[in-house]
C-alpha cells in the first residue's frame, strides 16, 4: 500500500526550498505569507538582522471588526492592502515575495495582487 506524505510536511519542505533561494535585505525585504485554516498572516522581514519590520493579519481587532470572515479571499485582500499601506508608511516600496510553501493561487495570490495594487513592487 502506498502511503501519502503529510501535507504539512510537504509544505514545510517546499518552504525550505524557497527560503534557500530568496532572502530579505535592507533594500528589498521579504514579504512572508502564512495561511492557516482560520487566518492569514503577512510580515515584511529584514533577514540580515532577523527583524520583522511590518506585520498585518486577520487576528487583529480592526480586521475582525471589518471582515465578515477571516478565512476567505476578501480577508486575504484586506491583509494585502494593510501590509502594503504599512510598508509604504515605513518607507518600504520593494519587497521579495515568499509564499511560504503554499501554492500561488486563491488566498496567497489574492494577498499578493492586493499588495501590488496598493503600491508594493515585487
Amino acid at each position: 500500500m502506498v502511503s501519502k506524505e503529510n501535507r504539512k510536511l510537504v509544505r514545510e519542505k517546499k518552504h525550505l526550498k524557497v527560503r534557500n533561494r530568496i532572502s530579505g535585505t535592507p533594500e528589498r525585504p521579504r514579504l512572508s505569507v502564512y495561511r492557516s485554516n482560520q487566518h492569514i498572516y503577512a510580515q515584511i522581514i529584514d533577514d540580515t538582522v532577523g527583524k520583522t519590520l511590518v506585520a498585518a493579519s486577520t487576528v487583529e481587532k480592526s480586521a475582525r471588526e471589518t471582515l465578515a470572515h477571516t478565512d476567505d479571499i476578501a480577508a486575504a485582500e484586506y491583509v494585502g492592502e494593510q501590509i502594503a499601506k504599512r510598508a509604504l508608511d515605513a518607507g518600504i516600496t520593494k519587497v521579495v515575495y515568499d509564499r511560504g510553501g503554499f501554492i500561488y493561487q486563491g488566498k496567497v495570490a489574492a494577498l499578493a495582487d492586493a499588495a501590488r495594487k496598493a503600491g508594493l513592487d515585487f
Side-chain angles (χ1 to χ4, degrees):
M1 185 168 131
V2 177
S3 63
K4 291 178 77 175
E5 203 169 350
N6 185 349
R7 289 300 308 156
K8 182 179 179 190
L9 295 176
V10 170
R11 184 197 66 80
E12 288 173 351
K13 269 192 198 174
K14 285 181 186 178
H15 189 212
L16 289 175
K17 289 178 185 178
V18 169
R19 287 289 289 123
N20 281 331
R21 286 182 271 130
I22 65 170
S23 180
T25 63
E27 298 82 32
R28 199 170 175 120
R30 176 171 57 101
L31 172 57
S32 176
V33 173
Y34 178 73
R35 177 184 60 82
S36 71
N37 286 338
Q38 295 179 346
H39 296 284
I40 190 156
Y41 309 83
Q43 296 179 338
I44 295 183
I45 305 165
D46 180 2
D47 288 317
T48 57
V49 293
K51 184 178 178 188
T52 298
L53 306 172
V54 179
S57 72
T58 55
V59 177
E60 298 168 356
K61 187 174 182 179
S62 61
R64 283 184 281 136
E65 292 171 351
T66 306
L67 300 167
H69 301 283
T70 59
D71 62 347
D72 57 1
I73 289 180
E77 290 172 347
Y78 176 82
V79 172
E81 292 167 5
Q82 291 299 310
I83 196 77
K85 187 176 103 177
R86 293 175 188 176
L88 293 173
D89 290 343
I92 301 166
T93 56
K94 294 186 177 198
V95 295
V96 178
Y97 191 67
D98 175 11
R99 60 187 173 87
F102 296 103
I103 298 170
Y104 188 81
Q105 69 178 13
K107 295 177 232 179
V108 176
L111 188 146
D113 293 339
R116 280 190 192 104
K117 190 182 283 187
L120 277 183
D121 182 28
F122 58 96

